[in-house]
Amino acid sequence: MPRTIAVIHGPNLNMLGRREPEIYGAMTLAAIDQALHERAAATGLELHCIQSNHEGDLVDFIQTTGWLAHGIIINPGALTHYGLSLRDALAMLKAPIIEVHISNVYRREPFRHTSVVAPVATGQIAGLGWRGYLLALEWLIAEHGSV
């Protein structure tokens, strides 16, 4: 059975490539997921990706697929700051969790400086653009021996 990584994209990330490219870049969510799939496949990992604008859908995914995953990569989007049910669902997991943000949230509006997800995450990558997702995957591979 292949080892799996769950990749969770929160609200508005489906608009990457069109949404404020000066902040989020031109890379689309589909292209990010494709790059992750290619890297994962090269190491024998299986990826399960979800994007939703609805917190409950993400919680449902975590309670099913996330529970079985060997690692989690999550960009909670705006849920970073107030998604307590998302945070609680993540807290139930034993797998390492890497929180990713495309922009440097600490150089933006003050409300973006607080993450309710960070206390249950293993680590956080912010401000390195879409490549932050790949860095999270590389860390999971390196730190956990192909996860």
Side-chain angles (χ1 to χ4, degrees), residues 46-62:
E46 187 174 295
L47 247 61
H48 296 280
C49 301
I50 184 175
Q51 186 284 321
S52 182
N53 295 319
H54 306 282
E55 186 171 5
D57 290 345
L58 299 177
V59 170
D60 289 343
F61 178 82
I62 291 166

Side-chain angles (χ1 to χ4, degrees), residues 68-138:
L68 304 172
H70 296 89
I72 309 291
I73 299 170
I74 182 167
N75 182 340
L79 295 172
T80 300
H81 319 295
Y82 64 86
L84 295 176
S85 65
L86 180 65
R87 178 248 181 251
D88 287 349
L90 290 166
M92 291 186 267
L93 304 179
K94 301 239 185 281
I97 300 166
I98 307 300
E99 181 181 352
V100 173
H101 297 284
I102 293 170
S103 70
N104 183 347
V105 293
Y106 304 102
R107 295 185 74 187
R108 298 185 62 196
E109 303 91 340
F111 77 89
R112 296 185 193 276
H113 299 179
T114 301
S115 169
V116 300
V117 173
V120 299
T122 306
Q124 185 184 70
I125 298 170
L128 301 180
W130 71 269
R131 288 176 182 83
Y133 286 98
L134 286 176
L135 293 170
L137 181 59
E138 292 298 337

